[in-house]
mmCIF file of all heavy atoms in Angstrom:
data_model
loop_
_atom_site.group_PDB
_atom_site.id
_atom_site.type_symbol
_atom_site.label_atom_id
_atom_site.label_comp_id
_atom_site.label_asym_id
_atom_site.label_seq_id
_atom_site.Cartn_x
_atom_site.Cartn_y
_atom_site.Cartn_z
ATOM 1 N N LEU A 122 7.817 -10.175 1.927
ATOM 2 C CA LEU A 122 8.568 -8.924 1.655
ATOM 3 C C LEU A 122 9.662 -8.654 2.666
ATOM 4 O O LEU A 122 10.512 -7.715 2.441
ATOM 5 C CB LEU A 122 7.625 -7.747 1.524
ATOM 6 C CG LEU A 122 6.583 -7.806 0.393
ATOM 7 C CD1 LEU A 122 5.863 -6.426 0.221
ATOM 8 C CD2 LEU A 122 7.185 -8.152 -0.964
ATOM 9 N N PHE A 152 8.137 -3.326 4.337
ATOM 10 C CA PHE A 152 8.997 -3.191 3.112
ATOM 11 C C PHE A 152 8.819 -1.820 2.601
ATOM 12 O O PHE A 152 7.649 -1.463 2.291
ATOM 13 C CB PHE A 152 8.501 -4.292 2.167
ATOM 14 C CG PHE A 152 9.179 -4.324 0.775
ATOM 15 C CD1 PHE A 152 10.310 -5.076 0.581
ATOM 16 C CD2 PHE A 152 8.614 -3.596 -0.275
ATOM 17 C CE1 PHE A 152 10.885 -5.182 -0.676
ATOM 18 C CE2 PHE A 152 9.209 -3.717 -1.576
ATOM 19 C CZ PHE A 152 10.342 -4.513 -1.722
ATOM 20 N N SER A 155 8.514 2.296 -2.285
ATOM 21 C CA SER A 155 7.810 3.356 -3.014
ATOM 22 C C SER A 155 7.991 4.719 -2.312
ATOM 23 O O SER A 155 8.143 4.763 -1.107
ATOM 24 C CB SER A 155 6.300 3.048 -3.035
ATOM 25 O OG SER A 155 6.117 1.854 -3.771
ATOM 26 N N GLY A 160 6.601 5.197 -7.730
ATOM 27 C CA GLY A 160 5.840 3.989 -7.315
ATOM 28 C C GLY A 160 6.135 2.908 -8.339
ATOM 29 O O GLY A 160 7.054 2.036 -8.081
ATOM 30 N N SER A 161 5.497 2.938 -9.474
ATOM 31 C CA SER A 161 5.767 1.921 -10.501
ATOM 32 C C SER A 161 7.244 1.998 -11.020
ATOM 33 O O SER A 161 7.876 1.101 -11.306
ATOM 34 C CB SER A 161 4.824 2.150 -11.761
ATOM 35 O OG SER A 161 3.523 1.811 -11.329
ATOM 36 N N ALA A 163 10.178 2.200 -9.907
ATOM 37 C CA ALA A 163 10.965 1.942 -8.565
ATOM 38 C C ALA A 163 12.457 2.308 -8.763
ATOM 39 O O ALA A 163 13.113 2.670 -7.745
ATOM 40 C CB ALA A 163 10.817 0.534 -8.152
ATOM 41 N N TRP A 185 3.212 4.519 1.114
ATOM 42 C CA TRP A 185 2.406 3.324 0.974
ATOM 43 C C TRP A 185 3.040 2.156 1.642
ATOM 44 O O TRP A 185 3.113 1.019 1.091
ATOM 45 C CB TRP A 185 2.247 2.982 -0.538
ATOM 46 C CG TRP A 185 1.929 4.098 -1.489
ATOM 47 C CD1 TRP A 185 2.689 4.498 -2.519
ATOM 48 C CD2 TRP A 185 0.850 5.010 -1.392
ATOM 49 N NE1 TRP A 185 2.132 5.538 -3.118
ATOM 50 C CE2 TRP A 185 0.999 5.951 -2.457
ATOM 51 C CE3 TRP A 185 -0.238 5.157 -0.510
ATOM 52 C CZ2 TRP A 185 0.049 6.975 -2.678
ATOM 53 C CZ3 TRP A 185 -1.139 6.218 -0.710
ATOM 54 C CH2 TRP A 185 -0.942 7.057 -1.808
ATOM 55 N N THR A 187 2.816 -0.755 3.854
ATOM 56 C CA THR A 187 1.972 -1.668 4.641
ATOM 57 C C THR A 187 2.708 -2.078 5.863
ATOM 58 O O THR A 187 3.873 -2.463 5.835
ATOM 59 C CB THR A 187 1.635 -2.922 3.739
ATOM 60 O OG1 THR A 187 1.086 -2.466 2.465
ATOM 61 C CG2 THR A 187 0.576 -3.789 4.404
ATOM 62 N N HIS A 207 19.321 2.953 -11.188
ATOM 63 C CA HIS A 207 19.026 1.742 -10.350
ATOM 64 C C HIS A 207 20.264 1.036 -9.864
ATOM 65 O O HIS A 207 20.223 0.255 -8.898
ATOM 66 C CB HIS A 207 18.047 0.779 -11.066
ATOM 67 C CG HIS A 207 18.622 0.084 -12.220
ATOM 68 N ND1 HIS A 207 18.459 0.598 -13.554
ATOM 69 C CD2 HIS A 207 19.315 -1.025 -12.381
ATOM 70 C CE1 HIS A 207 19.060 -0.208 -14.428
ATOM 71 N NE2 HIS A 207 19.611 -1.144 -13.728
ATOM 72 N N HIS A 208 21.451 1.279 -10.507
ATOM 73 C CA HIS A 208 22.643 0.693 -10.062
ATOM 74 C C HIS A 208 23.132 1.229 -8.745
ATOM 75 O O HIS A 208 24.100 0.759 -8.109
ATOM 76 C CB HIS A 208 23.715 0.675 -11.115
ATOM 77 C CG HIS A 208 23.427 -0.185 -12.275
ATOM 78 N ND1 HIS A 208 23.334 -1.545 -12.173
ATOM 79 C CD2 HIS A 208 23.158 0.129 -13.594
ATOM 80 C CE1 HIS A 208 23.002 -2.035 -13.391
ATOM 81 N NE2 HIS A 208 22.949 -1.034 -14.249
ATOM 82 N N PHE A 261 18.282 -2.800 -6.191
ATOM 83 C CA PHE A 261 17.224 -2.960 -7.187
ATOM 84 C C PHE A 261 16.900 -4.413 -7.396
ATOM 85 O O PHE A 261 15.713 -4.831 -7.502
ATOM 86 C CB PHE A 261 17.542 -2.219 -8.464
ATOM 87 C CG PHE A 261 16.344 -2.062 -9.337
ATOM 88 C CD1 PHE A 261 15.316 -1.194 -9.021
ATOM 89 C CD2 PHE A 261 16.136 -2.754 -10.524
ATOM 90 C CE1 PHE A 261 14.195 -0.892 -9.839
ATOM 91 C CE2 PHE A 261 15.075 -2.572 -11.339
ATOM 92 C CZ PHE A 261 14.038 -1.655 -10.981
ATOM 93 N N LYS A 262 17.972 -5.238 -7.557
ATOM 94 C CA LYS A 262 17.701 -6.635 -7.836
ATOM 95 C C LYS A 262 17.093 -7.334 -6.639
ATOM 96 O O LYS A 262 16.280 -8.170 -6.804
ATOM 97 C CB LYS A 262 19.069 -7.363 -8.231
ATOM 98 C CG LYS A 262 19.421 -6.875 -9.604
ATOM 99 C CD LYS A 262 20.415 -7.817 -10.248
ATOM 100 C CE LYS A 262 20.607 -7.292 -11.698
ATOM 101 N NZ LYS A 262 21.858 -7.545 -12.352
ATOM 102 N N MET A 265 13.460 -6.402 -6.773
ATOM 103 C CA MET A 265 12.787 -7.111 -7.897
ATOM 104 C C MET A 265 12.496 -8.604 -7.490
ATOM 105 O O MET A 265 11.444 -9.102 -7.761
ATOM 106 C CB MET A 265 13.521 -7.008 -9.181
ATOM 107 C CG MET A 265 13.520 -5.631 -9.869
ATOM 108 S SD MET A 265 11.860 -5.061 -10.216
ATOM 109 C CE MET A 265 11.673 -3.711 -9.050
ATOM 110 N N HIS A 266 13.605 -9.203 -7.036
ATOM 111 C CA HIS A 266 13.388 -10.647 -6.565
ATOM 112 C C HIS A 266 12.298 -10.741 -5.523
ATOM 113 O O HIS A 266 11.439 -11.640 -5.552
ATOM 114 C CB HIS A 266 14.706 -11.239 -6.066
ATOM 115 C CG HIS A 266 14.456 -12.510 -5.293
ATOM 116 N ND1 HIS A 266 14.296 -13.703 -6.007
ATOM 117 C CD2 HIS A 266 14.282 -12.753 -3.971
ATOM 118 C CE1 HIS A 266 13.970 -14.590 -5.056
ATOM 119 N NE2 HIS A 266 13.949 -14.076 -3.859
ATOM 120 N N LEU A 268 9.836 -8.709 -4.903
ATOM 121 C CA LEU A 268 8.500 -8.540 -5.405
ATOM 122 C C LEU A 268 7.994 -9.686 -6.257
ATOM 123 O O LEU A 268 6.786 -9.988 -6.203
ATOM 124 C CB LEU A 268 8.515 -7.221 -6.215
ATOM 125 C CG LEU A 268 8.501 -5.950 -5.324
ATOM 126 C CD1 LEU A 268 8.894 -4.670 -6.151
ATOM 127 C CD2 LEU A 268 7.176 -5.766 -4.565
ATOM 128 N N ASP A 269 8.864 -10.345 -6.953
ATOM 129 C CA ASP A 269 8.470 -11.524 -7.671
ATOM 130 C C ASP A 269 7.777 -12.508 -6.773
ATOM 131 O O ASP A 269 6.727 -12.990 -6.980
ATOM 132 C CB ASP A 269 9.661 -12.235 -8.353
ATOM 133 C CG ASP A 269 10.140 -11.605 -9.620
ATOM 134 O OD1 ASP A 269 9.332 -10.808 -10.223
ATOM 135 O OD2 ASP A 269 11.283 -11.863 -10.062
ATOM 136 N N ARG A 272 4.438 -11.174 -5.179
ATOM 137 C CA ARG A 272 3.352 -11.108 -6.093
ATOM 138 C C ARG A 272 2.574 -12.412 -6.070
ATOM 139 O O ARG A 272 1.369 -12.435 -6.325
ATOM 140 C CB ARG A 272 3.825 -10.787 -7.592
ATOM 141 C CG ARG A 272 4.168 -9.281 -7.662
ATOM 142 C CD ARG A 272 5.007 -8.903 -8.794
ATOM 143 N NE ARG A 272 5.370 -7.486 -8.705
ATOM 144 C CZ ARG A 272 6.339 -6.932 -9.469
ATOM 145 N NH1 ARG A 272 6.998 -7.591 -10.338
ATOM 146 N NH2 ARG A 272 6.581 -5.610 -9.260
ATOM 147 N N SER A 342 9.569 -15.186 -12.529
ATOM 148 C CA SER A 342 9.078 -13.823 -12.624
ATOM 149 C C SER A 342 7.772 -13.733 -13.415
ATOM 150 O O SER A 342 6.754 -13.135 -13.043
ATOM 151 C CB SER A 342 10.102 -12.861 -13.323
ATOM 152 O OG SER A 342 11.263 -12.903 -12.613
ATOM 153 N N TYR A 391 -1.194 -2.841 -5.387
ATOM 154 C CA TYR A 391 0.156 -2.934 -4.676
ATOM 155 C C TYR A 391 0.940 -4.131 -5.106
ATOM 156 O O TYR A 391 0.540 -5.021 -5.777
ATOM 157 C CB TYR A 391 -0.009 -2.882 -3.117
ATOM 158 C CG TYR A 391 -0.865 -3.935 -2.355
ATOM 159 C CD1 TYR A 391 -1.305 -5.120 -2.884
ATOM 160 C CD2 TYR A 391 -1.193 -3.587 -1.036
ATOM 161 C CE1 TYR A 391 -1.971 -6.003 -2.084
ATOM 162 C CE2 TYR A 391 -1.943 -4.473 -0.276
ATOM 163 C CZ TYR A 391 -2.305 -5.699 -0.813
ATOM 164 O OH TYR A 391 -3.033 -6.563 -0.047
ATOM 165 N N GLU A 392 2.282 -4.017 -4.761
ATOM 166 C CA GLU A 392 3.297 -4.949 -5.218
ATOM 167 C C GLU A 392 3.341 -5.012 -6.753
ATOM 168 O O GLU A 392 3.628 -6.043 -7.315
ATOM 169 C CB GLU A 392 3.103 -6.325 -4.536
ATOM 170 C CG GLU A 392 3.258 -6.133 -3.016
ATOM 171 C CD GLU A 392 3.581 -7.417 -2.236
ATOM 172 O OE1 GLU A 392 4.103 -8.351 -2.829
ATOM 173 O OE2 GLU A 392 3.117 -7.463 -1.065
ATOM 174 N N GLY A 393 3.090 -3.867 -7.387
ATOM 175 C CA GLY A 393 3.137 -3.762 -8.833
ATOM 176 C C GLY A 393 1.746 -3.764 -9.415
ATOM 177 O O GLY A 393 0.957 -4.769 -9.233
ATOM 178 N N ILE A 397 2.060 -2.962 -14.589
ATOM 179 C CA ILE A 397 3.442 -3.366 -14.399
ATOM 180 C C ILE A 397 3.559 -4.863 -14.592
ATOM 181 O O ILE A 397 4.483 -5.333 -15.205
ATOM 182 C CB ILE A 397 3.942 -2.972 -12.939
ATOM 183 C CG1 ILE A 397 4.136 -1.395 -12.902
ATOM 184 C CG2 ILE A 397 5.220 -3.650 -12.551
ATOM 185 C CD1 ILE A 397 5.218 -0.821 -13.778
ATOM 186 N N VAL A 401 6.053 -6.787 -17.204
ATOM 187 C CA VAL A 401 6.953 -7.988 -16.873
ATOM 188 C C VAL A 401 6.691 -9.142 -17.741
ATOM 189 O O VAL A 401 7.564 -9.770 -18.288
ATOM 190 C CB VAL A 401 6.795 -8.343 -15.352
ATOM 191 C CG1 VAL A 401 7.514 -9.625 -14.934
ATOM 192 C CG2 VAL A 401 7.241 -7.155 -14.397
HETATM 193 N N1 CAA B 265 14.747 -10.131 -10.684
HETATM 194 C C1 CAA B 265 16.034 -9.747 -10.657
HETATM 195 N N2 CAA B 265 16.543 -8.687 -11.432
HETATM 196 C C2 CAA B 265 15.668 -8.026 -12.160
HETATM 197 C C3 CAA B 265 14.243 -8.332 -12.233
HETATM 198 C C4 CAA B 265 13.880 -9.476 -11.467
HETATM 199 N N3 CAA B 265 12.589 -9.876 -11.475
HETATM 200 N N4 CAA B 265 13.641 -7.524 -13.115
HETATM 201 C C5 CAA B 265 14.545 -6.664 -13.548
HETATM 202 N N5 CAA B 265 15.727 -6.951 -13.019
HETATM 203 C C6 CAA B 265 17.057 -6.271 -13.250
HETATM 204 C C7 CAA B 265 17.352 -6.250 -14.751
HETATM 205 O O1 CAA B 265 18.025 -7.419 -15.151
HETATM 206 C C8 CAA B 265 18.230 -5.053 -14.849
HETATM 207 O O2 CAA B 265 19.585 -5.444 -14.496
HETATM 208 P P1 CAA B 265 20.877 -4.685 -15.178
HETATM 209 O O3 CAA B 265 20.710 -3.258 -15.026
HETATM 210 O O4 CAA B 265 21.993 -5.285 -14.409
HETATM 211 O O5 CAA B 265 20.829 -5.153 -16.579
HETATM 212 C C9 CAA B 265 17.679 -4.078 -13.885
HETATM 213 O O6 CAA B 265 16.946 -4.934 -12.912
HETATM 214 C C10 CAA B 265 16.748 -3.086 -14.445
HETATM 215 O O7 CAA B 265 15.698 -3.700 -15.071
HETATM 216 P P2 CAA B 265 14.624 -2.896 -16.045
HETATM 217 O O8 CAA B 265 15.460 -2.082 -16.997
HETATM 218 O O9 CAA B 265 13.719 -3.923 -16.504
HETATM 219 O O10 CAA B 265 14.054 -1.965 -14.919
HETATM 220 P P3 CAA B 265 12.895 -0.797 -15.113
HETATM 221 O O11 CAA B 265 13.402 0.395 -14.352
HETATM 222 O O12 CAA B 265 12.475 -0.752 -16.466
HETATM 223 O O13 CAA B 265 11.734 -1.392 -14.120
HETATM 224 C C11 CAA B 265 9.846 -2.691 -13.543
HETATM 225 C C12 CAA B 265 11.220 -2.638 -14.258
HETATM 226 C C13 CAA B 265 9.281 -4.078 -13.781
HETATM 227 C C14 CAA B 265 8.878 -1.733 -14.126
HETATM 228 C C15 CAA B 265 10.074 -2.412 -12.046
HETATM 229 O O14 CAA B 265 10.405 -1.058 -11.840
HETATM 230 C C16 CAA B 265 8.886 -2.747 -11.169
HETATM 231 O O15 CAA B 265 8.633 -3.851 -10.815
HETATM 232 N N6 CAA B 265 8.089 -1.695 -10.782
HETATM 233 C C17 CAA B 265 6.990 -1.832 -9.829
HETATM 234 C C18 CAA B 265 7.427 -1.686 -8.424
HETATM 235 C C19 CAA B 265 6.485 -2.220 -7.447
HETATM 236 O O16 CAA B 265 5.971 -3.359 -7.560
HETATM 237 N N7 CAA B 265 6.304 -1.512 -6.372
HETATM 238 C C20 CAA B 265 5.458 -1.954 -5.312
HETATM 239 C C21 CAA B 265 6.126 -1.654 -3.967
HETATM 240 S S1 CAA B 265 5.705 -2.569 -2.600
HETATM 241 C C22 CAA B 265 4.191 -2.103 -2.116
HETATM 242 O O17 CAA B 265 3.321 -2.153 -2.884
HETATM 243 C C23 CAA B 265 3.878 -1.575 -0.769
HETATM 244 C C24 CAA B 265 3.645 -2.612 0.256
HETATM 245 O O18 CAA B 265 4.018 -2.362 1.382
HETATM 246 C C25 CAA B 265 3.021 -3.887 -0.002
#
Side-chain angles (χ1 to χ4, degrees):
L122 298 189
F152 176 89
S155 301
S161 291
W185 318 122
T187 308
H207 69 266
H208 290 298
F261 194 72
K262 286 198 176 154
M265 289 301 110
H266 165 79
L268 285 166
D269 280 344
R272 286 165 185 165
S342 305
Y391 60 16
E392 299 195 31
I397 290 295
V401 172

